[in-house]
Amino acid sequence: MVLKTKMLWRFKFVVVAALIMVWLGGCSGEENTKNNQGAQSNQSGEQNNHGDNVATTGEPDELTIYAYNDGIGLNDGAIKYIEEKTNTKLNITTGIGEEMESKLNVMLASGDIPDIIQYQTDETELKYAGSGILLPLNEYFDKAPQLEASRSEEVWQAMTHADGNIYTVGIQTPSVHFVTMYRKDWLDKLKLEVPTTIDEYYAVADAVSNGDPDGNGKKDTYAFGASGELGRYFDHVFGAFGVLPDYWMERDGRIVNGTVQPEAKEALLFLNKMYENGLIDPEFITDDGNRNKNKFKAGVYGAQANFIWVFDSNNLNNYYTPFKEANPNGEWIEGPVLKGPGTESVGMRMLSQRGWLKTSITKDSKNIDAALRLLDWLASEEGNRFVNYGLEGEHYQVDEKGIIKKTVEVEEAKKYGIDKFVLAKSVSFDTATPRFLEVKDFTEKNALSEPADGILVPEIGKFGKDLKAYTNTEYLKMIVGEMDIDKEFDKFVQEWNDRGGKEFTDALNAAYQERK
Amino acid sequence: MQLQVKMTKMLQLLLRDKNLYFMLLPGLVYFIVFRYFPMAGLIIAFKDYDIFKGIQDSPWVGLDIFREVFSSSDFKDILFNTLLISFYKLIFGFPVPILLALLLNEIRFRFFQRLSQTILYLPHFISWVVIGGIMLTLLSPNYGIAGDIMRLFGVEPFNLLGSRDYFRSILVVSDIWRNAGWGTIIYLAALTQVDPTLYEAAVVDGANKWKQTWHITLPSIAPVIILLLILDIGRIMNVGFEQILILQNPLVRDISDVFETYVYRVGIQRGEYSFTAALDFFKSVVSAVLIISAHRISKRLGQEGLL
């Protein structure tokens, strides 16, 4: 009996010890969040202080900015230079990727509203504009003439909301940045021509995947890979069949989504065949953008749709140089839009004129004038060139043809802060080589424009992301053969419509007819 | 009168152990401030919360949002995935630390015991981000060891992480690999408390190792096992956010999305705060029910409870 009590006591000790351990574990986890919260509230406290400062003439105006984080350092030479030029003092908080908008939401919800904010999606823009926190820029264009001049009438048209106001400056990229491309050196080795029809493409894809074009005796090359998200990497195949998935197109005067067109089914069957025969990198499902990019640079792919940057030997994004280093004999050649079976083929998708990143001034900002001054300078020719390339003589030189040659290494340019602070940047091809411009024109000429671009309906926010995610998963299932395309494609279309696709399409069409 | 006696008694006790109560204070404050206070935020599950209006001014919508949650097409999937993955983790993951602890306990060579124990629990300190990167490389059909093994057995290499048939198994196995060693610590602590005289007596009675384990070791650590089982059952709705978020890819999203990943994606990233607050509220209620029932059952079985 005594023994038993003693034992029980010991077990109690163990239980308590275990509880303490669990508690300590939980505690250390909590501590992290606590610290984070502390740091955040400190930060916001600081910002509030700055916001309360009333700027006096001559003194730099303080601006709080929530910006896209491309590695902005507050002590970057570039930031200092911009502050000097615009007589401002910038307090910048940053976010990146999917976290960007959630962080901004939290900041806004806690009442801590920066003077200038950046975000990425139309959904968010609609939400903020609807809540009335954004400044209608069109009413202030007289104070920022260079900003107005930096974008075409057409672009401003696409930025205009249903209430007739423009709330955002879109940060654009080239309108098309993908092109169908082939490894010229592999084609030569395998004695193949650049394909023009989808059947020829299959033969080429098969040869570059299974014909050991790199001559190392291993099956380690593929026609193409992707980064889990469906989008652009498959456009050359879908385009041959006449549709682009997750893209609005006009059919008989009506806007329809390429995702649910019957031609998409044919394209999926084709892709499934490619996948089954080992022509698509099986890691395309698990690869992220970076891994895909690295494989591209390493020379794994041979017949793909991918970024046009690889044709630009002056490129800052650095596709060309690493690719050449890994594949000294490697050379890419662009290919035409592939002809499909009977239907009309379409080219690459165009990026929205509204830009991939958006900048707004908030309505209740105490420094609207300073914010406009900053954006105006950044959008000016001088400002834009500075943001893109730095200072002439110090970071770049202009050669006799007017092409900008960078004179500093990529790392050094980054250290100074070049091409990071993209508040009002417009795309510029001053460094591009003639070969790059040739390819760019080639793909732009063939690209399929999106009739719904710039039409903002609330359904975008309601259904957009959900439908995209749903399509992505179901399409991947069909490509890898987890779903019988012949049997289940129609069911997929039905479900897509039920999940709001139909409502979305109808709303877009109504707005489209109205705009016409 | 009686009450007064009671009060004085209590006050006396309080005064007597004032140092202990004082030490308890930070813990209490912590739980109230960081655990109970934020619960007030749950009211957004009953409101159509708009970040610009604030919690106060957002309109009440009653149970509308719960209705929306329960009728949404994702809800069934998430609930099913959560329960299934948790169940797998419990069935396959729970016994592993016990087995490991028993095995480690039998090692007589101290240095080797310590060494293997350390090696076993080290993975616990590697973050899922790193493990995710390692797994992506190991399981790669083109460059990874998984591809090599498949080729060795004449199987056409395929992407394990991008396979709907294997994804959940990978979740379970990687979770066991990471956490089983850590779980042995508590059992080892319990094992050191077993009275050695019991074994001596058993040896005298002619019990072999297996019988000793079955009749002495396991019953001795049973309270700890039950306690940890209760804790695990209480956590059944928390499958492991980081792990799934990191290993997930679009192909397996619908079979691996659990409450936490869904709440993160839809609630935090898309800003549907009310919807996901309602979803999480439901999850917490289920968790509470589970933990209380597990506690009741263990009491009925004559074991020490938790509360």
Side-chain angles (χ1 to χ4, degrees), chain A residues 456-492:
Chain A
L456 294 172
V457 290
E459 280 75 11
I460 294 175
K462 213 163 150 197
F463 303 118
K465 282 186 183 169
D466 188 43
L467 282 175
K468 202 177 196 138
Y470 175 70
T471 304
N472 209 19
T473 301
E474 300 306 295
Y475 263 42
L476 288 182
K477 279 196 228 166
M478 293 191 241
I479 292 172
V480 304
E482 291 276 355
M483 226 165 114
D484 189 328
I485 301 169
D486 278 321
K487 280 190 197 135
E488 307 212 35
F489 185 78
D490 295 338
K491 228 160 82 191
F492 159 74

Short mmCIF file of all heavy atoms in Angstrom, two decimals, chain A residues 456-492:
data_model
loop_
_atom_site.label_atom_id
_atom_site.label_comp_id
_atom_site.label_asym_id
_atom_site.label_seq_id
_atom_site.Cartn_x
_atom_site.Cartn_y
_atom_site.Cartn_z
N LEU A 456 -14.05 46.52 -64.12
CA LEU A 456 -14.03 46.15 -62.72
C LEU A 456 -15.46 45.88 -62.23
O LEU A 456 -16.25 46.80 -62.12
CB LEU A 456 -13.39 47.26 -61.89
CG LEU A 456 -11.91 47.51 -62.17
CD1 LEU A 456 -11.44 48.75 -61.44
CD2 LEU A 456 -11.08 46.32 -61.76
N VAL A 457 -15.75 44.62 -61.99
CA VAL A 457 -17.05 44.30 -61.42
C VAL A 457 -16.81 43.66 -60.05
O VAL A 457 -15.78 43.05 -59.83
CB VAL A 457 -17.84 43.32 -62.32
CG1 VAL A 457 -18.29 44.01 -63.59
CG2 VAL A 457 -17.04 42.08 -62.64
N PRO A 458 -17.76 43.81 -59.13
CA PRO A 458 -17.56 43.26 -57.79
C PRO A 458 -17.34 41.75 -57.79
O PRO A 458 -16.74 41.20 -56.87
CB PRO A 458 -18.84 43.61 -57.03
CG PRO A 458 -19.65 44.48 -57.92
CD PRO A 458 -19.02 44.56 -59.26
N GLU A 459 -17.83 41.09 -58.84
CA GLU A 459 -17.70 39.63 -58.90
C GLU A 459 -16.23 39.20 -58.94
O GLU A 459 -15.90 38.07 -58.60
CB GLU A 459 -18.44 39.07 -60.11
CG GLU A 459 -19.94 38.91 -59.92
CD GLU A 459 -20.68 40.25 -59.96
OE1 GLU A 459 -20.06 41.26 -60.35
OE2 GLU A 459 -21.88 40.27 -59.61
N ILE A 460 -15.34 40.11 -59.38
CA ILE A 460 -13.92 39.77 -59.39
C ILE A 460 -13.50 39.39 -57.98
O ILE A 460 -12.85 38.38 -57.76
CB ILE A 460 -13.07 40.96 -59.89
CG1 ILE A 460 -13.38 41.24 -61.36
CG2 ILE A 460 -11.59 40.68 -59.71
CD1 ILE A 460 -12.68 42.47 -61.90
N GLY A 461 -13.89 40.24 -57.03
CA GLY A 461 -13.52 39.99 -55.64
C GLY A 461 -14.23 38.78 -55.07
O GLY A 461 -13.69 38.06 -54.25
N LYS A 462 -15.45 38.56 -55.53
CA LYS A 462 -16.27 37.50 -54.95
C LYS A 462 -15.83 36.12 -55.44
O LYS A 462 -15.80 35.17 -54.67
CB LYS A 462 -17.73 37.75 -55.37
CG LYS A 462 -18.74 37.33 -54.34
CD LYS A 462 -20.07 37.98 -54.68
CE LYS A 462 -21.24 37.14 -54.23
NZ LYS A 462 -22.48 37.54 -54.89
N PHE A 463 -15.54 36.01 -56.72
CA PHE A 463 -15.28 34.68 -57.28
C PHE A 463 -13.87 34.48 -57.84
O PHE A 463 -13.43 33.36 -57.99
CB PHE A 463 -16.27 34.40 -58.42
CG PHE A 463 -17.70 34.50 -58.02
CD1 PHE A 463 -18.55 35.43 -58.59
CD2 PHE A 463 -18.22 33.64 -57.06
CE1 PHE A 463 -19.87 35.52 -58.22
CE2 PHE A 463 -19.54 33.73 -56.68
CZ PHE A 463 -20.37 34.67 -57.26
N GLY A 464 -13.21 35.60 -58.19
CA GLY A 464 -11.95 35.51 -58.93
C GLY A 464 -10.97 34.48 -58.40
O GLY A 464 -10.63 33.52 -59.08
N LYS A 465 -10.53 34.67 -57.16
CA LYS A 465 -9.46 33.83 -56.63
C LYS A 465 -9.91 32.38 -56.45
O LYS A 465 -9.16 31.45 -56.69
CB LYS A 465 -8.96 34.38 -55.31
CG LYS A 465 -8.04 35.55 -55.49
CD LYS A 465 -7.45 36.01 -54.18
CE LYS A 465 -6.58 37.22 -54.37
NZ LYS A 465 -6.18 37.85 -53.11
N ASP A 466 -11.16 32.24 -56.02
CA ASP A 466 -11.67 30.89 -55.76
C ASP A 466 -11.74 30.09 -57.06
O ASP A 466 -11.30 28.94 -57.11
CB ASP A 466 -13.05 31.01 -55.11
CG ASP A 466 -13.55 29.65 -54.65
OD1 ASP A 466 -12.73 28.91 -54.08
OD2 ASP A 466 -14.73 29.35 -54.86
N LEU A 467 -12.25 30.71 -58.11
CA LEU A 467 -12.35 30.01 -59.39
C LEU A 467 -10.97 29.67 -59.93
O LEU A 467 -10.76 28.60 -60.49
CB LEU A 467 -13.10 30.88 -60.40
CG LEU A 467 -14.62 30.93 -60.26
CD1 LEU A 467 -15.20 31.91 -61.25
CD2 LEU A 467 -15.22 29.55 -60.47
N LYS A 468 -10.05 30.58 -59.74
CA LYS A 468 -8.69 30.36 -60.22
C LYS A 468 -8.08 29.14 -59.53
O LYS A 468 -7.52 28.25 -60.19
CB LYS A 468 -7.86 31.60 -59.91
CG LYS A 468 -6.64 31.76 -60.76
CD LYS A 468 -5.94 33.06 -60.39
CE LYS A 468 -4.97 33.44 -61.47
NZ LYS A 468 -4.96 34.84 -61.80
N ALA A 469 -8.21 29.09 -58.22
CA ALA A 469 -7.64 27.98 -57.46
C ALA A 469 -8.31 26.66 -57.85
O ALA A 469 -7.66 25.63 -58.02
CB ALA A 469 -7.78 28.23 -55.96
N TYR A 470 -9.64 26.73 -58.00
CA TYR A 470 -10.38 25.52 -58.36
C TYR A 470 -9.95 25.01 -59.73
O TYR A 470 -9.64 23.83 -59.91
CB TYR A 470 -11.88 25.82 -58.33
CG TYR A 470 -12.73 24.66 -58.80
CD1 TYR A 470 -12.83 23.51 -58.03
CD2 TYR A 470 -13.40 24.71 -60.02
CE1 TYR A 470 -13.58 22.44 -58.47
CE2 TYR A 470 -14.16 23.66 -60.45
CZ TYR A 470 -14.25 22.51 -59.68
OH TYR A 470 -15.00 21.46 -60.11
N THR A 471 -9.89 25.92 -60.70
CA THR A 471 -9.46 25.55 -62.05
C THR A 471 -8.07 24.92 -62.02
O THR A 471 -7.82 23.90 -62.64
CB THR A 471 -9.42 26.80 -62.95
OG1 THR A 471 -10.69 27.42 -62.92
CG2 THR A 471 -9.06 26.44 -64.37
N ASN A 472 -7.19 25.57 -61.28
CA ASN A 472 -5.82 25.09 -61.22
C ASN A 472 -5.75 23.63 -60.77
O ASN A 472 -5.13 22.79 -61.42
CB ASN A 472 -5.07 25.98 -60.23
CG ASN A 472 -3.61 26.08 -60.56
OD1 ASN A 472 -3.22 25.80 -61.70
ND2 ASN A 472 -2.81 26.45 -59.61
N THR A 473 -6.42 23.33 -59.65
CA THR A 473 -6.38 21.97 -59.13
C THR A 473 -6.99 20.97 -60.11
O THR A 473 -6.40 19.93 -60.40
CB THR A 473 -7.13 21.91 -57.79
OG1 THR A 473 -6.50 22.82 -56.89
CG2 THR A 473 -7.11 20.54 -57.20
N GLU A 474 -8.15 21.32 -60.67
CA GLU A 474 -8.82 20.36 -61.55
C GLU A 474 -8.02 20.16 -62.85
O GLU A 474 -7.90 19.03 -63.34
CB GLU A 474 -10.23 20.85 -61.88
CG GLU A 474 -11.14 21.01 -60.66
CD GLU A 474 -11.22 19.76 -59.81
OE1 GLU A 474 -11.74 18.74 -60.29
OE2 GLU A 474 -10.76 19.79 -58.65
N TYR A 475 -7.47 21.23 -63.39
CA TYR A 475 -6.67 21.11 -64.61
C TYR A 475 -5.44 20.23 -64.37
O TYR A 475 -5.10 19.39 -65.18
CB TYR A 475 -6.22 22.50 -65.09
CG TYR A 475 -7.11 23.10 -66.17
CD1 TYR A 475 -8.48 23.00 -66.08
CD2 TYR A 475 -6.56 23.73 -67.27
CE1 TYR A 475 -9.30 23.54 -67.06
CE2 TYR A 475 -7.36 24.29 -68.26
CZ TYR A 475 -8.73 24.19 -68.15
OH TYR A 475 -9.53 24.72 -69.12
N LEU A 476 -4.80 20.45 -63.22
CA LEU A 476 -3.62 19.63 -62.93
C LEU A 476 -4.00 18.17 -62.83
O LEU A 476 -3.32 17.29 -63.33
CB LEU A 476 -2.95 20.09 -61.63
CG LEU A 476 -2.21 21.41 -61.68
CD1 LEU A 476 -1.56 21.72 -60.35
CD2 LEU A 476 -1.14 21.40 -62.76
N LYS A 477 -5.15 17.90 -62.18
CA LYS A 477 -5.62 16.51 -62.07
C LYS A 477 -5.79 15.91 -63.45
O LYS A 477 -5.46 14.75 -63.68
CB LYS A 477 -6.96 16.47 -61.33
CG LYS A 477 -6.85 16.55 -59.82
CD LYS A 477 -8.19 16.11 -59.22
CE LYS A 477 -8.67 17.06 -58.17
NZ LYS A 477 -10.07 16.88 -57.81
N MET A 478 -6.35 16.70 -64.36
CA MET A 478 -6.59 16.16 -65.70
C MET A 478 -5.28 15.95 -66.44
O MET A 478 -5.11 14.95 -67.13
CB MET A 478 -7.49 17.12 -66.48
CG MET A 478 -8.90 17.20 -65.90
SD MET A 478 -10.04 18.06 -67.00
CE MET A 478 -10.54 19.44 -66.01
N ILE A 479 -4.33 16.86 -66.29
CA ILE A 479 -3.08 16.73 -67.02
C ILE A 479 -2.29 15.50 -66.54
O ILE A 479 -1.75 14.75 -67.33
CB ILE A 479 -2.22 18.00 -66.88
CG1 ILE A 479 -2.90 19.16 -67.62
CG2 ILE A 479 -0.82 17.78 -67.43
CD1 ILE A 479 -2.26 20.51 -67.40
N VAL A 480 -2.26 15.28 -65.22
CA VAL A 480 -1.48 14.14 -64.74
C VAL A 480 -2.28 12.84 -64.76
O VAL A 480 -1.79 11.81 -64.32
CB VAL A 480 -0.91 14.38 -63.32
CG1 VAL A 480 -0.09 15.65 -63.28
CG2 VAL A 480 -2.02 14.42 -62.28
N GLY A 481 -3.50 12.88 -65.27
CA GLY A 481 -4.27 11.65 -65.43
C GLY A 481 -4.98 11.17 -64.19
O GLY A 481 -5.36 10.00 -64.09
N GLU A 482 -5.17 12.05 -63.20
CA GLU A 482 -5.93 11.66 -62.00
C GLU A 482 -7.43 11.74 -62.27
O GLU A 482 -8.24 11.31 -61.47
CB GLU A 482 -5.58 12.58 -60.83
CG GLU A 482 -4.19 12.41 -60.28
CD GLU A 482 -4.10 11.28 -59.28
OE1 GLU A 482 -5.15 10.69 -58.96
OE2 GLU A 482 -2.97 10.98 -58.85
N MET A 483 -7.77 12.38 -63.38
CA MET A 483 -9.18 12.58 -63.69
C MET A 483 -9.36 12.22 -65.16
O MET A 483 -8.54 12.58 -66.00
CB MET A 483 -9.50 14.08 -63.50
CG MET A 483 -10.74 14.37 -62.74
SD MET A 483 -10.71 16.10 -62.25
CE MET A 483 -12.05 16.71 -63.21
N ASP A 484 -10.40 11.48 -65.47
CA ASP A 484 -10.67 11.08 -66.84
C ASP A 484 -11.26 12.28 -67.59
O ASP A 484 -12.38 12.68 -67.34
CB ASP A 484 -11.65 9.91 -66.84
CG ASP A 484 -11.79 9.32 -68.23
OD1 ASP A 484 -11.67 10.09 -69.20
OD2 ASP A 484 -12.00 8.11 -68.33
N ILE A 485 -10.45 12.85 -68.49
CA ILE A 485 -10.87 14.10 -69.14
C ILE A 485 -12.16 13.90 -69.94
O ILE A 485 -13.08 14.70 -69.86
CB ILE A 485 -9.75 14.63 -70.05
CG1 ILE A 485 -8.49 14.88 -69.23
CG2 ILE A 485 -10.19 15.91 -70.76
CD1 ILE A 485 -7.26 15.15 -70.04
N ASP A 486 -12.22 12.81 -70.73
CA ASP A 486 -13.39 12.57 -71.57
C ASP A 486 -14.67 12.53 -70.74
O ASP A 486 -15.69 13.09 -71.12
CB ASP A 486 -13.24 11.24 -72.31
CG ASP A 486 -12.39 11.44 -73.56
OD1 ASP A 486 -12.56 12.48 -74.21
OD2 ASP A 486 -11.56 10.56 -73.85
N LYS A 487 -14.58 11.87 -69.59
CA LYS A 487 -15.79 11.70 -68.79
C LYS A 487 -16.09 12.90 -67.91
O LYS A 487 -17.23 13.25 -67.69
CB LYS A 487 -15.62 10.47 -67.88
CG LYS A 487 -15.88 9.17 -68.61
CD LYS A 487 -15.94 8.02 -67.61
CE LYS A 487 -15.79 6.69 -68.32
NZ LYS A 487 -14.87 5.80 -67.62
N GLU A 488 -15.02 13.53 -67.37
CA GLU A 488 -15.26 14.48 -66.29
C GLU A 488 -15.14 15.94 -66.67
O GLU A 488 -15.40 16.80 -65.84
CB GLU A 488 -14.32 14.16 -65.11
CG GLU A 488 -14.44 12.72 -64.71
CD GLU A 488 -14.21 12.49 -63.24
OE1 GLU A 488 -14.60 13.34 -62.45
OE2 GLU A 488 -13.62 11.45 -62.91
N PHE A 489 -14.72 16.23 -67.90
CA PHE A 489 -14.54 17.64 -68.25
C PHE A 489 -15.87 18.40 -68.18
O PHE A 489 -15.94 19.51 -67.66
CB PHE A 489 -13.93 17.79 -69.65
CG PHE A 489 -13.61 19.22 -70.00
CD1 PHE A 489 -12.50 19.85 -69.49
CD2 PHE A 489 -14.46 19.96 -70.81
CE1 PHE A 489 -12.21 21.17 -69.78
CE2 PHE A 489 -14.19 21.30 -71.11
CZ PHE A 489 -13.06 21.89 -70.59
N ASP A 490 -16.94 17.76 -68.67
CA ASP A 490 -18.24 18.44 -68.66
C ASP A 490 -18.72 18.69 -67.22
O ASP A 490 -19.33 19.71 -66.93
CB ASP A 490 -19.27 17.61 -69.42
CG ASP A 490 -18.92 17.53 -70.90
OD1 ASP A 490 -18.17 18.41 -71.36
OD2 ASP A 490 -19.35 16.58 -71.57
N LYS A 491 -18.40 17.73 -66.36
CA LYS A 491 -18.77 17.89 -64.96
C LYS A 491 -18.00 19.07 -64.35
O LYS A 491 -18.55 19.84 -63.56
CB LYS A 491 -18.42 16.60 -64.20
CG LYS A 491 -19.56 16.11 -63.33
CD LYS A 491 -19.41 14.64 -62.97
CE LYS A 491 -18.50 14.39 -61.83
NZ LYS A 491 -18.16 12.95 -61.67
N PHE A 492 -16.74 19.16 -64.75
CA PHE A 492 -15.91 20.28 -64.28
C PHE A 492 -16.50 21.62 -64.72
O PHE A 492 -16.60 22.56 -63.93
CB PHE A 492 -14.48 20.12 -64.80
CG PHE A 492 -13.69 21.39 -64.81
CD1 PHE A 492 -13.21 21.93 -63.62
CD2 PHE A 492 -13.44 22.08 -65.99
CE1 PHE A 492 -12.50 23.12 -63.62
CE2 PHE A 492 -12.74 23.26 -65.99
CZ PHE A 492 -12.27 23.78 -64.81
#
